[in-house]
Amino acid sequence: MYEADEILSKVKRIHFIGIGGSGMCPIAEILHSEGYILSGSDNNESDTLNRIRALGIPVVMGQKAENIEGAEMIVHTAAIMDDNPELIAARASGIPTFERSKILGALSRRYENCIGICGTHGKTTTTSMTTQILIESGLDPSAVIGGKLPYTGTNGIVGKSGIFVCESCEYKNTFLQMSPKCAVILNIDADHMEFFKTMENLKKSFTRFADSAETVIYNLDDKNTCDAINDMTDKNKEFITFGLGENCMWRAELISDRKGAYPEYDVYYKGEKKGHVVLNVPGDHNVYNSLAALASSVYSGCDIGTAIKEISDFKGAGRRFENLGTYKGITICDDYAHHPKELRVTLEAAKKLDYKRVIAVFQPFTYSRTAMLLNDFAEVLKIPDKVVMTEIMGSREKNTYGIHTSDLSALIPGSVWFNTFREVADYVESIAEEGDLVITLGCGDIYKAAKLMIEDLK
């Protein structure tokens, strides 16, 4: 038995360092439902913390050694640094201490059918789509999602079946702690290169993830994904493919005259037309996400017709082109995009919609990503009509790169940047006009700027 599995089976009181993180919150929700007594700490208020507190889980703001008192196990995020006072105290005390991926791995082994959904882009949306389809199909799944599913209002879902839908992140190889029955690979793109160093290393990690599963569902149109599959040591598995190509088991035939940014397609399974999909989430990238969700749901026992109906009813995941409302004629949306490719598909979709102008409000996340992909960021941030930025959110890193938002702004004509969300909100409100779309972008806490604008415009 894995060490985390064994300890988890013996303890009752667990303390979470950084409990408000998008990866921590759903694990806490599931463990709470199973009867564990939880506590947590964090440094920043967030919507996820509000949900955690609503469950009756006490949360302390600020991290201090005394916060761990009474805990029998400590769970922390990969973003927690070694100088964190709670982590230091936990290690010194001898309390079993685990990075969250090990606990997620332990949860994955408690279910008969763990579906691990991975990929550089689209994990949260595809996990959300799959979860919603399975719930509506009456299959009663459990799930860990990296964002809030508006359909349930939570990140973590506790079902009574043996199905566990789990967003599986490649950062620092954390997804290799899991034991999925079915591995879903959406795409592989250059990200987290401060850790992986080379694309070959990155692809090898996805190969290992696929090798750990009995069934692999993958994007046949994505070369890097195909490379990873071709390098698998164990080919004696079930392989299910999706994409736009003729050889895909699940295939979308796009409707060329679809309106605006919302894709529409006929869906084929093993060469036979099975139905028609009109997506309620924008962007052609969501065609691939929806195909992966259809394949995952049908694999898990959902009727094809039901899956196709439910995918058309899916209205989005939290912070994934989430429409926060229209105030004084100005529409405000929020999106998690933080990689140049994600920004491109989101901003291109936004430009197709019926708005006068698109004002992008971007918070760069991590110094390494900003430095390594600086020119790529600059190129895609020329798509909107206006770009407003904040200083870089370093998160788990120190700025050893000497990079600042001013370096990025210098490459984007007409862009501006500010140090505080208050300054960002004031500036956007001064330039936004009726008919404009304002979209906040980034995986940090840029959504707080959107909330400030909404409060002011109300």
Side-chain angles (χ1 to χ4, degrees):
M1 182 183 278
Y2 295 82
E3 184 187 8
D5 300 46
E6 184 178 4
I7 300 295
L8 195 58
S9 69
K10 295 177 179 178
V11 303
K12 269 297 180 187
R13 295 181 176 273
I14 306 173
H15 180 76
F16 283 70
I17 307 175
I19 196 169
S22 60
M24 294 280 270
C25 176
I27 295 175
E29 287 175 314
I30 288 176
L31 292 177
H32 173 75
S33 73
E34 292 185 359
Y36 288 90
I37 301 168
L38 308 184
S39 62
S41 63
D42 216 304
N43 286 323
N44 297 295
E45 291 289 351
S46 63
D47 290 342
T48 51
L49 281 189
N50 293 334
R51 292 204 298 279
I52 288 293
R53 289 191 182 105
L55 294 173
I57 299 170
V59 178
V60 176
M61 294 309 296
Q63 290 165 349
K64 302 177 285 293
E66 56 264 32
N67 292 343
I68 70 167
E69 289 179 8
E72 298 170 293
M73 174 191 275
I74 307 291
V75 183
H76 65 92
T77 68
I80 297 296
M81 294 186 179
D82 288 337
D83 60 359
N84 181 282
E86 290 183 28
L87 188 57
I88 292 170
R91 288 171 173 167
S93 71
I95 300 171
T97 302
F98 299 98
E99 195 274 322
R100 66 166 288 277
S101 63
K102 293 185 183 295
I103 304 304
L104 186 58
L107 287 178
S108 76
R109 287 180 282 278
R110 293 186 171 190
Y111 294 85
E112 178 186 347
N113 177 21
C114 173
I115 305 165
I117 298 176
C118 69
T120 310
H121 316 295
K123 293 184 290 293
T124 298
T125 296
T126 306
T127 306
S128 297
M129 287 175 167
T130 305
T131 301
Q132 184 167 322
I133 292 171
L134 293 175
I135 292 173
E136 278 295 299
S137 302
L139 292 172
D140 202 15
S142 297
V144 165
I145 307 171
K148 183 173 73 172
L149 175 59
Y151 178 78
T152 62
T154 62
N155 295 53
I157 294 152
V158 184
K160 294 177 181 173
S161 73
I163 302 172
F164 181 41
V165 187
C166 185
E167 181 170 336
S168 310
C169 182
E170 75 278 11
Y171 174 64
K172 287 193 174 179
N173 281 332
T174 54
F175 65 168
L176 298 183
Q177 300 292 337
M178 293 181 59
S179 301
K181 182 179 181 184
C182 175
V184 182
I185 305 180
L186 302 170
N187 45 64
I188 302 174
D189 200 4
D191 198 15
H192 304 303
M193 300 312 285
E194 78 287 354
F195 173 76
F196 289 105
K197 307 302 182 187
T198 68
M199 180 58 77
E200 287 309 307
N201 288 339
L202 177 60
K203 286 190 281 192
K204 283 177 183 175
S205 289
F206 279 90
T207 299
R208 289 173 62 192
F209 187 73
D211 264 327
S212 71
E214 295 178 15
T215 299
V216 183
I217 298 172
Y218 70 98
N219 182 352
L220 193 60
D221 292 349
D222 185 68
K223 182 184 181 303
N224 288 333
T225 299
C226 292
D227 288 346
I229 297 299
N230 290 336
D231 286 342
M232 289 174 63
T233 56
D234 181 7
K235 299 290 178 65
N236 188 29
K237 298 179 185 291
E238 179 184 19
F239 291 95
I240 300 170
T241 59
F242 64 89
L244 306 184
E246 290 291 337
N247 295 326
C248 298
M249 191 177 295
W250 285 90
R251 182 173 68 85
E253 190 171 286
L254 295 175
I255 305 301
S256 59
D257 63 348
R258 64 193 185 283
K259 294 181 179 179
Y262 296 91
E264 185 176 338
Y265 64 87
D266 291 328
V267 59
Y268 290 79
Y269 176 62
K270 294 183 177 179
E272 182 181 345
K273 183 178 174 181
K274 292 295 182 180
H276 186 71
V277 173
V278 180
L279 290 178
N280 277 295
V281 284
D284 287 343
H285 59 292
N286 277 316
V287 172
Y288 285 95
N289 293 338
S290 61
L291 285 172
L294 289 172
S296 302
S297 301
V298 172
Y299 160 82
S300 299
C302 181
D303 171 74
I304 287 183
T306 302
I308 291 171
K309 175 189 177 298
E310 294 305 329
I311 203 72
S312 291
D313 289 344
F314 179 75
K315 299 295 195 298
R319 301 214 62 218
R320 272 68 183 176
F321 218 120
E322 184 177 6
N323 190 322
L324 302 178
T326 300
Y327 306 89
K328 295 185 178 177
I330 301 163
T331 299
I332 298 179
C333 290
D334 179 51
D335 194 90
Y336 199 75
H338 56 281
H339 182 280
K341 188 166 284 188
E342 294 165 356
L343 288 168
R344 178 176 294 281
V345 296
T346 300
L347 291 169
E348 286 178 348
K351 289 289 285 183
K352 288 180 183 177
L353 296 170
D354 191 23
Y355 293 102
K356 186 165 68 176
R357 293 184 305 169
V358 174
I359 301 172
V361 181
F362 178 53
Q363 180 188 47
F365 189 78
T366 73
Y367 305 112
S368 58
R369 183 185 286 114
T370 308
M372 292 176 178
L373 301 175
L374 186 68
N375 291 327
D376 294 334
F377 276 118
E379 195 59 34
V380 298
L381 287 169
K382 293 173 184 175
I383 294 172
D385 299 286
K386 184 70 178 176
V387 175
V388 183
M389 292 181 286
T390 71
E391 191 48 273
I392 300 165
M393 185 174 188
S395 182
R396 53 190 174 253
E397 297 180 342
K398 299 189 187 305
N399 192 5
T400 58
Y401 298 83
I403 188 79
H404 299 280
T405 298
S406 57
D407 300 310
L408 179 57
S409 182
L411 301 175
I412 308 167
S415 66
V416 296
W417 62 276
F418 300 96
N419 282 314
T420 68
F421 292 153
R422 181 69 269 168
E423 292 171 297
V424 166
D426 288 344
Y427 178 77
V428 172
E429 290 164 33
S430 74
I431 64 167
E433 301 171 355
E434 186 174 338
D436 285 349
L437 168 66
V438 175
I439 182 165
T440 51
L441 300 152
C443 66
D445 57 353
I446 187 62
Y447 63 86
K448 292 178 181 177
K451 286 189 170 184
L452 280 176
M453 288 181 253
I454 290 169
E455 288 169 7
D456 294 343
L457 292 171
K458 276 182 176 179

